[in-house]
Amino acid sequence: MAHEESTVHPVRSLDPLQAESGRAFTTASPVLVSNDDDDAIDSVPLLAASGVTDEDVKRFTTMGNIAEVEVDLSTLHGGQFRDVVLPAAGSPAREEMERAFKRKIDYAILPVVITMYMLNYLDRNNIAAAKLGTLMEDLSLNSTQYSTAVAILFIPYTLMQVPSNLLLGKIGKPSIYLPSAMAIWGMLSLWTAFVKGYHSLIIIRLLIGFAEAAFYPGVVFYLSCWYTKYEIAKRSAIFVCGSWISGAFSGFVAYGVLENLDGVLGLAAWRWLFLLEGTVTVIVALIAMPILPNLPATTKWLTKEERLLGVLRMINDVGQHDDDAAATAAAPDDDYGEEVEQPKSRTRSALSGLYMALVDEKVLIIVWMQFSLAMMGGINTVFPTIVGSLGYSQAKTLLLTAPPWLLCSVTSVWNSFHSDKHGERFLHMIWGPSLAIIGIIVSLLTQETFWRYLSMLLMLQNYNSWSLGFAWMASTVPRPPIKRAAAVGVVNIGGNVPNIIVPYFFYVGSEPQFYLGLSICGLFAVSGIIAATVLKSRLMKLNKKLERGGVVDGLDGRTGFRFIY
């Protein structure tokens, strides 16, 4: 390895004797990555344009309390960063540069994806508001047909999430991929205004499900490519806030449309609801394309210094480069801190990433946790019906759906910010479903309007844990990216299957108490708390292994990496 001929960032000299040893693992000394490492998968990144390979990452150093991976700038991303110089890690100049970089990326990504998610949620769930109009009568729907129309969207939405995320990983152009999917579902939502009966409604709902499958898991993976494990929870919460705000906003929009546009140009008010919201979705999708960045190394409107900083941030976050070349397929570890020998692999396909996700016990526990919380959260698909059981008029019912969602928006963001600030996940995960369980018990025990509405405020607090669960997943499956992309899709499948099931539990005739539906949702909230407890226990065990110098998911404990719980 001719290190003396390479430009390394930050510039340090390498001891020739140490270089000949291949790897030297100490906390205070560099970790050298041998170019002929037989345990690594071929060094072609998941996102071909990201430009980070095994040959680029030279070593991991610890300078005081600042961990810094040193990379070879002469080869990184085709050498485009060869002459770039950044302030030293830990210096005031570097810290200020990083703060400015995060602000710039926050302003470019968060407002756009929040707006996109608001419209995503509106287009997916506006059928619930349309039901309060004349949808049922105009399309001659019975209760079962309506429940099927609500649920059918989530079948392709669930099945296509893993393939979509893997495709996004391979294409590596989120600024094109995500808005394109949005434009498609917006046009389909718009055309819902012209359906004539049950069968055409089912077909168009199926197609919307296919298009919307790309969005949520795609954005979760997208954020994990820009933000470190200590930054992603608060950004994820702000992003998911779009759906909670949408839940509140949809009530106001539906109220305005259903009260004022019925019969205009010969169209029923519910048809105007789909027409207007679908049109706005398409317009926002076209605006989003030139604004959203792609990935740290491939966003052309960033300076070279900013692009390099973005790449180094993600490398430093795990103590090694964030690349599919970096980890072999997951295999079980023994209980004594030794890594079980894994078969050599040279594949870097999407199926390899899916396999790594499916055999990772951590991923399966998170699927269990998110599925359980989603069963509780499935009440979002019938929430206007639940509020309607209070017996108020259509207009007042639509307005009463807003406060629970607004409260959830505030508490969800606070919960994730507080979780990031203290580097704690478990307690922040379980208080939301705990409040939801209290809300269900109150609702089942009383018919008094005040207490039942209070219970509805508590039920939606389950969503405080929803976005945090995905942030916890992103830091629990830190690398390689192809595995993380697959894991996001797999977890989101588990989180959306309940949307297919739950509407049938809240059938016509079960109001106002909804004994069956609320009891099932409450039991799954308990299941989610149990799953979070199991995940914490598993991560504590893995951290002990890392502390003994063991290797977990290709991450060496001596680089300082630890799982957050």
Side-chain angles (χ1 to χ4, degrees):
M1 301 191 297
H3 297 291
E4 64 276 4
E5 298 176 3
S6 300
T7 303
V8 178
H9 174 82
V11 178
R12 290 168 62 93
S13 61
L14 296 181
D15 184 344
L17 294 177
Q18 190 179 37
E20 291 176 4
S21 68
R23 293 190 180 190
F25 293 99
T26 63
T27 303
S29 302
V31 171
L32 304 180
V33 180
S34 171
N35 288 336
D36 54 356
D37 180 6
D38 292 332
D39 291 328
I41 298 174
D42 284 348
S43 58
V44 176
L46 159 68
L47 305 170
S50 67
V52 182
T53 68
D54 284 335
E55 288 74 20
D56 296 325
V57 178
K58 296 303 180 185
R59 55 187 173 168
F60 179 92
T61 62
T62 301
M63 293 168 266
N65 292 322
I66 304 298
E68 177 81 355
V69 173
E70 298 193 357
V71 299
D72 188 343
L73 299 187
S74 67
T75 61
L76 182 65
H77 197 56
Q80 68 164 289
F81 302 119
R82 188 188 309 272
D83 300 321
V84 177
V85 178
L86 297 181
S91 67
R94 177 68 166 266
E95 291 176 356
E96 177 55 36
M97 182 180 182
E98 191 157 348
R99 282 194 294 268
F101 173 82
K102 285 189 287 186
R103 283 195 301 269
K104 191 171 186 177
I105 296 304
D106 285 343
Y107 293 152
I109 293 179
L110 294 180
V112 177
V113 296
I114 289 170
T115 304
M116 293 171 75
Y117 198 19
M118 288 177 63
L119 294 168
N120 173 271
Y121 194 86
L122 277 175
D123 291 337
R124 189 191 322 155
N125 294 310
N126 52 15
I127 191 172
K131 183 189 177 188
L132 298 177
T134 59
L135 172 77
M136 301 287 285
E137 296 82 2
D138 293 347
L139 300 184
S140 301
L141 301 179
N142 59 40
S143 177
T144 301
Q145 287 175 326
Y146 169 76
S147 294
T148 301
V150 172
I152 199 74
L153 178 148
F154 294 97
I155 295 176
Y157 182 81
T158 298
L159 294 176
M160 289 304 297
Q161 290 193 5
V162 171
S164 175
N165 242 28
L166 294 174
L167 181 60
L168 171 60
K170 286 297 182 183
I171 293 174
K173 298 287 184 181
S175 68
I176 302 298
Y177 187 83
L178 297 175
S180 295
M182 183 183 187
I184 293 171
W185 88 61
M187 288 187 287
L188 290 168
S189 180
L190 186 157
W191 277 102
T192 308
F194 305 106
V195 298
K196 300 299 183 183
Y198 171 66
H199 293 99
S200 56
L201 177 63
I202 290 295
I203 290 172
I204 207 157
R205 293 280 294 175
L206 273 170
L207 294 175
I208 291 174
F210 276 106
E212 290 202 356
F215 184 71
Y216 186 84
V219 172
V220 172
F221 173 59
Y222 180 38
L223 294 177
S224 75
C225 294
W226 282 98
Y227 296 106
T228 70
K229 59 180 175 285
Y230 294 105
E231 301 165 350
I232 195 169
K234 61 174 69 76
R235 270 79 178 184
S236 296
I238 292 172
F239 160 60
V240 174
C241 230
S243 70
W244 315 153
I245 294 171
S246 180
F249 185 62
S250 63
F252 295 123
V253 172
Y255 170 78
V257 172
L258 296 180
E259 288 290 304
N260 299 294
L261 294 182
D262 193 33
V264 174
L265 299 179
L267 295 177
W270 68 267
R271 294 186 186 274
W272 278 109
L273 193 64
F274 288 104
L275 186 63
L276 294 174
E277 291 177 358
T279 300
V280 172
T281 297
V282 174
I283 293 172
V284 170
L286 297 177
I287 294 172
M289 285 187 184
I291 297 176
L292 286 176
N294 275 312
L295 296 166
T298 59
T299 300
K300 298 304 180 184
W301 49 261
L302 291 175
T303 66
K304 281 189 176 182
E305 289 77 11
E306 290 170 332
R307 295 202 298 272
L308 176 58
L309 177 62
V311 171
L312 291 178
R313 275 167 40 83
M314 301 317 297
I315 294 174
N316 291 331
D317 188 40
V318 294
Q320 293 164 269
H321 60 298
D322 192 18
D323 177 9
D324 291 325
T328 55
D333 300 317
D334 66 23
D335 293 328
Y336 301 100
E338 297 297 327
E339 185 177 30
V340 177
E341 183 178 356
Q342 302 180 31
K344 299 295 186 291
S345 171
R346 293 290 171 182
T347 179
R348 51 185 182 272
S349 68
L351 289 178
S352 175
L354 180 58
Y355 170 78
M356 286 188 278
L358 291 177
V359 299
D360 189 334
E361 182 185 32
K362 303 189 302 300
V363 174
L364 299 181
I365 296 172
I366 295 172
V367 170
W368 166 24
M369 179 177 72
Q370 293 296 86
F371 174 84
S372 299
L373 296 180
M375 283 294 293
M376 172 63 232
I379 62 172
N380 82 86
T381 60
V382 292
F383 196 64
T385 299
I386 295 175
V387 177
S389 70
L390 295 174
Y392 292 109
S393 66
Q394 169 188 290
K396 187 169 286 188
T397 295
L398 287 169
L399 295 176
L400 285 173
T401 61
W405 288 114
L406 291 174
L407 176 63
C408 183
S409 301
V410 174
T411 56
S412 178
V413 171
W414 176 87
N415 187 47
S416 292
F417 269 64
H418 197 265
S419 175
D420 265 1
K421 179 179 179 180
H422 293 278
E424 199 280 338
R425 295 289 188 251
F426 172 70
L427 293 177
H428 291 83
M429 277 295 299
I430 66 171
W431 78 279
S434 298
L435 288 177
I437 292 169
I438 295 173
I440 286 175
I441 293 172
V442 171
S443 185
L444 292 175
L445 293 179
T446 181
Q447 293 191 27
E448 292 186 21
T449 299
F450 172 80
W451 291 107
R452 289 188 59 227
Y453 189 66
L454 177 63
S455 75
M456 295 171 195
L457 291 168
L458 295 176
M459 287 180 204
L460 289 190
Q461 292 304 305
N462 175 76
Y463 280 109
N464 286 332
S465 303
W466 180 247
S467 61
L468 186 61
F470 279 93
W472 198 2
M473 189 274 313
S475 62
T476 301
V477 187
R479 61 197 293 273
I482 193 69
K483 176 184 175 183
R484 190 168 66 245
V488 171
V490 169
V491 171
N492 212 34
I493 285 177
N496 281 283
V497 168
N499 290 316
I500 304 171
I501 305 170
V502 171
Y504 293 98
F505 298 149
F506 293 83
Y507 54 87
V508 174
S510 63
E511 66 275 354
Q513 302 299 120
F514 301 105
Y515 288 114
L516 176 64
L518 291 180
S519 296
I520 291 174
C521 289
L523 289 174
F524 275 99
V526 174
S527 174
I529 293 173
I530 295 172
T533 305
V534 172
L535 179 60
K536 177 184 178 181
S537 176
R538 178 60 178 161
L539 295 181
M540 291 175 66
K541 181 178 179 181
L542 292 177
N543 275 355
K544 289 179 181 178
K545 174 178 177 177
L546 289 168
E547 288 165 4
R548 294 194 299 267
V551 177
V552 177
D553 292 350
L555 295 165
D556 192 285
R558 283 161 286 194
T559 65
F561 176 83
R562 297 294 183 270
F563 293 103
I564 298 177
Y565 55 80

